[in-house]
Amino acid sequence: MKQTLALISGFLGLLFFEGFARLIITFYHRIEFHFYGISHFPSDVWIYVIFVSVITSTWLTSMLILTVLKTNSKRYALLFAGMIILWRGVEIANSYQSEPIYYFVGVNGLHLLGVYLAYVAYSRQKGIN
């Protein structure tokens, strides 16, 4: 139960962080809110902001999950990465016609990189103690 709750909480935290970045951009430019994609942003700088928020939120939530669960960190890192990729698969299915391919590749790559970096950081920290 603890594992399921931690994974779901981490996933919801990930959605919150990215959604919050999108909400700030929406309020700043007074544009319509879109939970998916980047094609509606008024300039390229906001695409980079979304990419930074993706890797940061993925790393933070992955570290949280690995710290809370403590055992089988590789298994939980892979489960969390799978949950994220499944979610992005839904996004791709819903918006592949209107979004550039580099967005999908970049976001999925950044998610996987964030989970991997969190796993490496957690494993090395765990080995120090």
Side-chain angles (χ1 to χ4, degrees):
M1 184 65 178
K2 177 181 175 183
Q3 297 87 354
T4 305
L5 187 61
L7 287 169
I8 291 172
S9 297
F11 182 71
L12 292 175
L14 179 79
L15 294 179
F16 170 77
F17 285 128
E18 185 180 343
F20 188 67
R22 290 177 180 277
L23 193 62
I24 290 170
I25 295 167
T26 298
F27 285 152
Y28 183 76
H29 286 287
R30 294 182 180 102
I31 57 176
E32 184 178 329
F33 180 79
H34 293 272
F35 200 71
Y36 291 147
I38 54 172
S39 62
H40 59 280
F41 289 144
S43 68
D44 290 344
V45 71
W46 298 113
I47 296 169
Y48 302 122
V49 169
I50 291 299
F51 283 160
V52 168
S53 75
V54 164
I55 192 158
T56 304
S57 62
T58 303
W59 184 81
L60 287 171
T61 54
S62 297
M63 284 299 289
L64 178 68
I65 288 170
L66 296 175
T67 303
V68 167
L69 297 179
K70 296 185 195 253
T71 58
N72 290 330
S73 57
K74 187 178 215 175
R75 177 179 172 222
Y76 293 120
L78 289 172
L79 277 170
F80 189 56
M83 287 174 66
I84 295 169
I85 296 304
L86 184 65
W87 167 254
R88 290 300 179 177
V90 171
E91 177 184 5
I92 291 168
N94 287 328
S95 62
Y96 71 92
Q97 296 164 340
S98 62
E99 299 299 328
I101 192 72
Y102 73 85
Y103 167 69
F104 299 124
V105 173
V107 166
N108 284 318
L110 289 172
H111 279 306
L112 293 175
L113 180 63
V115 172
Y116 174 75
L117 290 175
Y119 173 73
V120 168
Y122 180 77
S123 297
R124 288 189 181 167
Q125 178 271 333
K126 189 176 176 184
I128 292 171
N129 291 334

